[in-house]
Structure formats: structure tokens, C-alpha cells
Amino acid sequence: MHPRLWFLWAAVAVLLVGGVIASVVSDEGPALTTTTTTTTTAAPLTPERIDAVVAELQEFVARARGLQFKQPVKATLLDDAAFRARLQEDEETDREELEKTTKTLRALKLLEEDVDLEKAIESLLGDAVLGFYDPEKDELVVRGAALTPNVRSTLVHELTHALQDQHFELDRDDLDDRDDEAGTAFDGLVEGDAVRIERDYVGTLSRREAREAEDAGPAPDFSDVPPVLLQSIAFPYVYGPRFVEELVEAGGNARVDEAFRRPPETSEQILHPAAYLQGDGLAVVAEPAAGGEVFDRGVVGEFGLYLILEAALDQQDLQRAIIGWDGDRYVSWEAGGRLCFRATVRMESERDARELRDGLRAWANEVGGVTVAFDTNPVEFTSCV
């Protein structure tokens, strides 16, 4: 499922813990919604009317994306209650993965002990999703009772996903099953491309309709949602568009097509498109030793380091600490009633390693329960609760 959500770009300092949490939230990605606008269209909302508008929007998407639809796409519009029911019907939660992620985030002091991550995800998606395209069922569903500018722009976003799926296959188990950032980075490409085409469509509307297209109604109250969850879901929508823009500048739609055939693999490549264009991949790093039976392992990523350190550092020091990430591995374990996390992070230079160690020590002083290895590259740190 690839949803279009209410955009939080300016409201949230977004961040994703790469492999640490990418596997819990469905590999679609976000921005974040509520209900549709109250603007109505003159024509009655009939199946024939919906089909006609979808056909027009497919033509726009095909022209803007430089690809032709191999077959028409059927779209369904549902009112708020029916849409929520449909989301619950399609929702799949990997509880084993969810438990691992909850423990890892707790070990990193990113999640309070009393937070039910599954309920938080259900609440967030119920309020946030505007529409989705399901590549397994080839189904496109949008929340809306009228063909408002907002609903039409959502249709354009999801039709772009349908077109991507017809040409490049969005259901990529080979990426999703990896224990690194490959699935997350692919989401950045997928959503960045769809946001680009949606923006192009909004740019063709009148000034009034463009304002309505950006208005999905009053923002939901996300105060009870853990920031790490909001930040992780928002990642591909916030950073993916700039990544795709760099691809377009480098070679137009053909370069974007090539990226679907050879997708980015790290959050670093999404954050710094030049790293992808220059072929800067993931360095091989040995997994650190654990102090007990390992229940989770994977890759933190540059964006994950950002999330871990952001509460303790100002933006300038934070950027200094994480720039130069070259690869990492982490393990999480439980022993003696404690949850622990340990990561080994390779940086591109000794100076980069020193900056990361300084940032980690500032974080350790802030949160407690953290140790940082002295003068090493790769940099190793351990956090326990």
C-alpha cells in the first residue's frame, strides 16, 4: 500500500531510523491527512463521472511522467467512515517485528515505556491517510465524497504509483526483507516521484483551486503520537522529492526510470542525491558483539543518527556529527532486565569519526546510560535502559 498523507513538511523535523523502524510502518510513506475539503463540484458524483475524471488525470500523469499506462486504473472514492473501515480491513501488522522495534527504540531512549506502538500506528494512519494504491491488488482508493481539487490531486499522486507499478513493480520483497535501509530508500524514490507529478498537476490549476488542493481540512491532533513515528513516516515525502528533482536535472524522466531499475539503498543517498548519482553505496561493516541474546539487528543509517542525536545537539553540531556516514551495523539484546543497543558506525575520515564521537558523548550526557568507545573508526556506542 502506498498512501498519500497530510503534509507535515514544515511542522515536523522529520527523521527515520532506517532499518530500526522501517519494517514496522508499512513501506509506503507519508505526509499526513484528515478529511477532505468541503468544496464540491457541479457535476453529480456518479461512477461514470469518477471514471471520466480518472481517465483525464491518467492522461496528465502519463504526459508528465513520460510513460504510458499499460491498462486503465479503477479508482474508488469512499466517505470518511467507509475509508477508515477499508484501512482497518487492509491493515497488516507484523507483531513480532513491532515488538523488536519497540524494544530497540526504548533502548535508544526514543520511545517511552508506556507507549503502545501498534495503537499509535493505527491511530495515526486512521487520521492521516488521504488515499492509497495497493500494488498487490492493483487497487486505488481515495478518501473523499466529492471530486474536489484536493481529491483530484490525491488521485494524481496515487495514479503515479499505479503507473510506477505497471512499469517497474512496486511490491519489492527483495528490498523489504533486507535488514538495512533499502526498503526505506526505495520509498523515498517512489514517493518523491509521485509528489513531483502531483505538484506539476497542482501547478496547472487556478490559484483558488491550487489553494483548495493543498487543503485537506483541519490538521489532526498528533500530540499523542510518538515523534519517532511521525518522523519515520514522513521521511520519503519530505526528502524523496528533492532526491527525484536531482535525478530529473541529471537526466529527465529517463534517469528516474533508471533509478527504479537500480534503486537507492541508504538514507544517505536520499538525503544527498549526489551520493547516489556518484555510486556511493553502503560500506561493509562488521556487526558489533552483543552482551546477550540478540533480538534485533540492522542498519541505523545517516538519518537514524540524526534522530538519535537531535534532542542533544543544535543543528550545526548535529550536521557535523552525522556527515561522513559510510555504513554501520547494530544489534539489540535483552539481559538482566535491561534492553541494550550497540552500533558500529564507519565514517569516511578520522575527522568525521571524531565529530560523531563528540556528538554521541553530548547525547550520552543528556540521556544517560550510554557509553562511547574512545578514538575508534568505526565508532562504537552502546545505549541501555
Side-chain angles (χ1 to χ4, degrees):
M1 181 167 64
H2 284 263
R4 191 246 191 187
L5 310 152
W6 175 278
F7 286 89
L8 299 178
W9 299 3
V12 180
V14 279
L15 193 32
L16 174 66
V17 187
V20 179
I21 66 174
S23 53
V24 190
V25 188
S26 52
D27 58 54
E28 316 65 351
L32 293 151
T33 180
T34 88
T35 56
T36 56
T37 62
T38 55
T39 307
T40 58
T41 56
L45 188 62
T46 62
E48 292 75 19
R49 170 64 177 157
I50 294 172
D51 290 345
V53 170
V54 168
E56 292 174 5
L57 296 177
Q58 280 189 211
E59 291 181 6
F60 173 85
V61 171
R63 286 196 306 273
R65 188 56 185 80
L67 296 169
Q68 294 302 310
F69 282 88
K70 296 182 178 181
Q71 59 264 345
V73 180
K74 181 70 176 178
T76 301
L77 267 62
L78 299 175
D79 63 26
D80 186 67
F83 186 84
R84 287 174 181 270
R86 178 58 185 275
L87 275 180
Q88 291 181 342
E89 176 186 313
D90 288 352
E91 191 174 286
E92 294 182 7
T93 303
D94 186 334
R95 286 185 169 80
E96 182 180 354
E97 201 65 45
L98 192 66
E99 182 179 0
K100 292 180 187 177
T101 297
T102 297
K103 289 180 177 180
T104 293
L105 293 178
R106 283 185 53 210
L108 283 165
K109 287 82 170 174
L110 292 173
L111 198 66
E112 298 294 333
E113 186 175 0
D114 60 350
V115 172
D116 186 325
L117 199 55
E118 182 176 358
K119 287 184 178 179
I121 292 172
E122 290 175 358
S123 173
L124 174 61
L125 296 184
D127 288 337
V129 177
L130 281 170
F132 64 85
Y133 171 74
D134 186 335
E136 292 185 359
K137 300 178 181 178
D138 297 328
E139 293 180 344
L140 193 164
V141 183
V142 171
R143 186 193 317 237
L147 286 164
T148 65
N150 181 268
V151 167
R152 296 202 306 272
S153 66
T154 299
L155 283 166
V156 166
H157 185 106
E158 300 306 332
L159 284 167
T160 303
H161 287 323
L163 185 61
Q164 294 166 340
D165 190 42
Q166 289 181 14
H167 284 268
F168 307 112
E169 185 65 50
L170 294 186
D171 192 14
R172 303 274 188 104
D173 289 341
D174 59 320
L175 300 179
D176 295 335
D177 291 343
R178 288 169 54 169
D179 65 356
D180 56 20
E181 298 183 289
T184 295
F186 184 61
D187 286 345
L189 169 64
V190 169
E191 296 302 342
D193 192 28
V195 169
R196 171 177 69 109
I197 302 304
E198 180 184 355
R199 286 175 175 171
D200 287 349
Y201 173 72
V202 172
T204 69
L205 302 178
S206 68
R207 187 173 300 176
R208 177 182 61 81
E209 285 195 320
R211 286 196 301 268
E212 292 175 359
E214 307 261 340
D215 179 15
D221 180 8
F222 295 130
S223 59
D224 291 335
V225 178
V228 67
L229 180 57
L230 283 175
Q231 293 163 340
S232 66
I233 290 181
F235 172 79
Y237 292 84
V238 174
Y239 294 99
R242 187 168 65 87
F243 173 77
V244 173
E245 286 168 9
E246 293 279 346
L247 297 184
V248 171
E249 186 173 334
N253 278 322
R255 188 64 187 85
V256 181
D257 294 346
E258 178 58 28
F260 274 91
R261 300 184 187 100
R262 188 180 64 83
E265 296 184 307
T266 67
S267 62
E268 180 201 33
Q269 291 178 331
I270 298 297
L271 291 167
H272 310 288
Y276 172 76
L277 290 168
Q278 294 166 7
D280 187 3
L282 178 67
V284 176
V285 178
E287 185 174 277
E293 184 176 354
V294 173
F295 63 79
D296 191 19
R297 51 173 39 93
V299 171
V300 179
E302 181 177 329
F303 211 20
L305 289 175
Y306 182 107
L307 182 57
I308 291 168
L309 299 176
E310 66 167 338
L313 304 177
D314 62 32
Q315 280 298 313
Q316 186 174 11
D317 289 341
L318 180 55
Q319 291 302 320
R320 269 202 300 264
I322 65 176
I323 291 297
W325 176 92
D326 198 30
D328 72 71
R329 294 294 298 178
Y330 77 82
V331 291
S332 298
W333 71 90
E334 189 169 7
R338 304 188 77 197
L339 296 171
C340 292
F341 170 98
R342 179 173 293 151
T344 301
V345 185
R346 178 173 296 282
M347 304 300 284
E348 292 179 353
S349 70
E350 291 302 323
R351 177 179 177 178
D352 293 332
R354 184 174 63 252
E355 297 282 7
L356 176 58
R357 285 194 300 271
D358 290 345
L360 287 167
R361 286 171 181 145
W363 170 61
N365 291 335
E366 182 83 17
V367 301
V370 175
T371 58
V372 182
F374 183 72
D375 289 347
T376 61
N377 187 20
V379 178
E380 183 174 287
F381 67 97
T382 305
S383 176
C384 295
V385 292

